[in-house]
Amino acid sequence: MYNRRNYQWATVMVALLFCIATACKETGAPVVQSCTTVTDSLIPLKINIGKPLNLYLDSMLVIGVQTPVQYLEKENALLILDTYGKRLLQYPLAAADTITKPSRTQALHLNDKVMYMHYLNRDSLLLYTYGLFRLSYYNLDTDTVYKTLPFYKKVKTSFAYNPAPPNASNAAPIILKGNNIIGAGYLMGEHDSEVPAGRTLFSILHLPDGSLQHKVPYSAIYKTGNWGGSHMRTTYTAYNKQQGALLLSLPADHYLQVIDSAWHITTVYAGSRQKFCISSMPIPKNSPQLQDPDNALRYFTNTPAYRDIIYDAYHQRYYRVLQTPPAAAELNAQQLGEKHATLIAFDNTFHYLGEGPLPKGLALDNFFVTEQGLYFLNVANHDQNIGQYVHINPEL
């Protein structure tokens, strides 16, 4: 039977061992724990693995974890942005071939590397360039950028005011909502003097005046504790267009933040029914150990964490991804290894439907949703001529 007191004691002991293993000399920091609180039983979720989608890759194209992709429902096709070759490729998904070749390839005349795209219509793309924090409207007929907008303005930051710039990805998409363009980002690094309320995650660009607002800080669990500075602070978002709701998933939080059109935040329990705690680091935020990125990565490897929140509009469901630590035998000499991924399913009112393990080797940030199910990029595929997506079809 699960005994939280014993489990928390074991977690503290692991934290102390971590501190000893990394040769820390400074005074340890209090460990903050985020534990599952529900008492209902775990419901096993059967996850069927369908026929993989094999995409032909020419010698120029590489599909990676951060490659922008978008499913086009009307065309039943997948758009892929080749960020290095600056090309747009369209793959038809109805093809019966074992390997699908692109039906359309178009060079894009761009000066900077684009990290995210959103297909607007047959002749327009919305592109986002991180670093420049710039949105660009691209005309596919004329091969030109016809409008640019700043998506973040450099501001004088402080411990009390430090809004995160948008860091768009497939797992944190840019949202077009009425006259607003909305993006989420995250802040790397932590400091003992920071004011959590001033570290906001969403940027809202108001059209047509171009004004910017910054809203929604990290959730309550992040107000104390050292969460490693990067991996445990990454934001994952989704948008339920039918309900006009933004969803925010944070790695250390069993709850989701559900944000309505007036930017009111409702917290909803959307955690696993497994019994575990997510623990902060046992060292201070100003520890020199944090300058070694491997220490933060080892910490992240050895603690559970939530990731993607995915809305399946075809079946009115939400899916949330949980990662749990690998077994000791799966770790390498640096105490690093691939975490195990679990898919947790909810209906559109967040009623728990079940959870089940995902295959290993998936790029969890590179996915798309169709009526047939979820597709995740398979990074375990080593055929350089094929970009493979694994078809995940939860049985509900």
Side-chain angles (χ1 to χ4, degrees):
M1 184 176 176
Y2 173 63
N3 187 308
R4 173 159 303 166
R5 180 173 296 176
N6 289 343
Y7 190 93
Q8 292 178 342
W9 174 252
T11 303
V12 171
M13 292 303 296
V14 169
L16 291 173
L17 289 173
F18 176 87
C19 188
I20 294 170
T22 54
C24 58
K25 296 180 181 180
E26 66 270 353
T27 303
V31 174
V32 176
Q33 293 189 318
S34 173
C35 302
T36 50
T37 58
V38 293
T39 57
D40 52 323
S41 300
L42 185 150
I43 300 174
L45 179 64
K46 183 178 180 181
I47 296 179
N48 298 314
I49 309 300
K51 180 182 177 182
L53 174 64
N54 294 317
L55 307 178
Y56 171 74
L57 306 181
D58 60 26
S59 59
M60 297 173 57
L61 179 59
V62 175
I63 302 178
V65 174
Q66 295 182 325
T67 300
V69 302
Q70 184 176 349
Y71 175 65
L72 306 181
E73 182 180 11
K74 291 182 179 179
E75 294 84 351
N76 191 25
L78 182 67
L79 272 188
I80 295 180
L81 180 65
D82 177 3
T83 56
Y84 296 99
K86 297 180 180 178
R87 298 179 299 165
L88 185 69
L89 300 96
Q90 182 170 317
Y91 289 86
L93 301 191
D97 298 336
T98 304
I99 299 177
T100 301
K101 294 185 177 181
S103 59
R104 171 188 176 188
T105 302
Q106 180 173 345
L108 302 178
H109 296 91
L110 300 168
N111 295 323
D112 304 298
K113 183 180 176 181
V114 171
M115 69 172 294
Y116 182 82
M117 70 167 178
H118 183 88
Y119 178 85
L120 297 172
N121 51 55
R122 61 172 297 275
D123 60 5
S124 293
L125 290 175
L126 181 65
L127 306 173
Y128 179 58
T129 304
Y130 187 74
L132 298 176
F133 310 123
R134 185 177 64 202
L135 291 167
S136 301
Y137 288 83
Y138 192 91
N139 188 297
L140 293 168
D141 288 338
T142 62
D143 280 327
T144 57
V145 173
Y146 63 90
K147 183 167 66 172
T148 61
L149 295 168
F151 203 17
Y152 181 83
K153 294 178 181 177
K154 290 186 177 180
V155 296
K156 185 176 181 180
T157 61
S158 66
F159 293 134
Y161 179 68
N162 193 5
N167 192 1
S169 69
N170 300 319
I174 287 175
I175 306 300
L176 280 68
K177 187 176 182 183
N179 289 324
N180 295 325
I181 300 177
I182 303 167
Y186 61 94
L187 294 166
M188 298 179 65
E190 305 188 45
H191 195 280
D192 288 332
S193 300
E194 68 192 28
V195 179
R199 294 166 67 87
T200 52
L201 305 177
F202 284 95
S203 295
I204 306 101
L205 174 64
H206 299 283
L207 302 175
D209 65 1
S211 62
L212 282 162
Q213 284 186 298
H214 305 287
K215 294 179 179 290
V216 186
Y218 280 96
S219 60
I221 192 67
Y222 286 89
K223 291 184 178 180
T224 54
N226 179 3
W227 295 101
S230 57
H231 306 286
M232 294 294 286
R233 284 187 173 266
T234 305
T235 52
Y236 302 92
T237 63
Y239 179 50
N240 182 332
K241 187 175 182 179
Q242 290 90 334
Q243 296 180 357
L246 284 167
L247 293 99
L248 172 63
S249 172
L250 295 170
D253 202 339
H254 299 281
Y255 288 79
L256 288 174
Q257 323 311 309
V258 182
I259 305 158
D260 66 16
S261 297
W263 291 92
H264 297 142
I265 302 171
T266 303
T267 58
V268 177
Y269 190 87
S272 170
R273 269 49 178 178
Q274 302 176 56
K275 306 300 182 183
F276 62 87
C277 295
I278 303 170
S279 301
S280 65
M281 294 187 80
I283 57 177
K285 294 181 179 182
N286 59 357
S287 169
Q289 296 178 61
L290 292 176
Q291 297 177 14
D292 180 356
D294 282 349
N295 283 334
L297 186 55
R298 274 188 286 271
Y299 155 69
F300 175 71
T301 299
N302 288 282
T303 191
Y306 292 98
R307 289 181 70 96
D308 315 33
I309 177 65
I310 302 169
Y311 178 56
D312 179 355
Y314 301 98
H315 303 97
Q316 302 288 296
R317 296 187 202 123
Y318 295 105
Y319 299 105
R320 197 180 190 194
V321 176
L322 166 71
Q323 284 187 299
T324 51
E330 299 175 272
L331 299 173
N332 61 20
Q334 290 74 41
Q335 296 301 296
L336 300 175
E338 182 183 354
K339 298 174 78 168
H340 298 274
T342 296
L343 191 72
I344 312 171
F346 304 89
D347 68 14
N348 64 353
T349 64
F350 300 100
H351 174 73
Y352 172 74
L353 300 176
E355 56 193 283
L358 289 171
K360 297 189 72 174
L362 302 183
L364 298 172
D365 289 355
N366 190 329
F367 66 88
F368 60 95
V369 184
T370 76
E371 190 173 4
Q372 285 68 46
L374 311 177
Y375 288 83
F376 288 93
L377 179 68
N378 180 17
V379 292
N381 164 53
H382 298 298
D383 189 334
Q384 296 182 355
N385 298 314
I386 293 176
Q388 186 178 81
Y389 281 84
V390 177
H391 180 199
I392 303 296
N393 186 20
E395 191 171 297
L396 288 165

